Amino acid sequence: MIRRQRLAAGLGALLAALAAGLAFPAGAVADETTASAPKVDLVIDVSGSMRTRDIDGQTRMSAAKQAFNEVLDATPEEVQLGIRTLGATYPGDDRQTGCKDTAQLYKVGPLDRTEAKTAVATLSPTGWTPIGPALLKAAGDLDGGTGSKRIVLISDGEDTCAPLDPCEVAREIAAKGIGLTIDTLGLVPNVKMRQQLSCIAEATGGTYTSVEHTDDLADKVNQLVDRAADPVVTPVATDGAASCAKAPTLNSGLYTDREEFGQQRWYRVDVKPGQELRASVSVAADRSMHPDYGVLLRAVTVHGREIVRGEAAGNGRTDVISTGVRYPKADSDDENAPAETVCLAVTNSFSAAPGVKTTPGMPLELTVDVVDGPSQADDVASFGLGRGWWLLGLLVLIGFLAGVVWGWLSRWRVAVWRTN
């Protein structure tokens, strides 16, 4: 009887385990983790100019391979990494064919370091520099999933496949709102390449870095891969309005938007008594424009009264222009006092050069932080100028008395010496 009961209990436990396995398949957790995994696509220029021997005594291609091997060794386990080439297979002179020369060398996914290194070892400088087509394909490589997405483009020259402008391609990618960032690295840069790679990066909120040594290249790529694995803040896309009345209400956070030339964008923030609003805005000059421009950030009441403003000016030499404001809301004795709606207005005075597209607008990044304001006891400013003068007066008095006593002692010692 006891043996039958044990057999029945064991059979029940087995059935329960099988049911649990069916209800919560092991692959469900793995699939969820894979869907949220960060993705990085390394896009490497393998055009003919990469044969040039000017990086630490070796060719640019050799330096890139060495850096890639170090990056592959250091890539975090959770990152899904891929490698795409541009200009790697077609050595001929046919422009149409050369400008299609981009291929996925290693598919974006869980990293097999040995396999990826073997693929990199096969690269040999060959043909054209189709940056625009490669960026479009790389965006497709990263499609799907909810994790961060990042393209790291490494090139030693500007695109050779116009009229498909890679800067316009980057803007189109950014306009899709898929949260994809493009970072660019220039090997032994020149002015034209710097301008183009800077424009590509800024269009998606990425960075441009000039690299002239192998160690610097490996360090920077590692840094960008790590940033994809552990993003500090994920910006939230928002649409500013043409007036405060229609503006979106924002909480503390980082927001992205686009602003056309000469346009004004409005946002709303609720600030309770005793809180302080801190806001800053950055606008990227991601295309050719006239020099001498500015960005203005104003905090305004819903009735149109200006509270505070911040402004910054540029002369064409800066790629991003930023400014900010702070507004402390006075505390109230009424615990039920309502929050004040503060309107933030962002205005720019950029003007486009002839033939430059004005849409989509320039990348705009807005940081909003609403924090508890400093208490009266903690506020350094509340110490007051009067108390400062009292302290200064006290120090002067102490110094005067010390001088009198020291002088008296000196005279007494001299008198005693003469007597003896």
Side-chain angles (χ1 to χ4, degrees), residues 51-105:
R51 298 191 192 97
T52 306
R53 187 180 295 273
D54 57 1
I55 296 185
D56 299 333
Q58 58 183 333
T59 65
R60 300 172 186 177
M61 191 73 256
S62 296
K65 287 182 178 181
Q66 180 180 330
F68 266 43
N69 285 335
E70 294 180 23
V71 169
L72 293 173
D73 284 334
T75 298
E77 294 292 338
E78 66 271 22
V79 173
Q80 294 192 6
L81 185 138
I83 304 173
R84 172 168 286 277
T85 63
L86 58 96
T89 60
Y90 179 70
D93 297 328
D94 184 71
R95 182 188 187 87
Q96 187 173 2
T97 303
C99 289
K100 295 178 181 177
D101 187 8
T102 175
Q104 195 173 44
L105 184 70

Side-chain angles (χ1 to χ4, degrees), residues 4-24:
R4 288 181 179 177
Q5 289 177 346
R6 289 178 178 175
L7 182 60
L11 183 59
L14 179 60
L15 291 173
L18 288 173
L22 291 173
F24 304 99

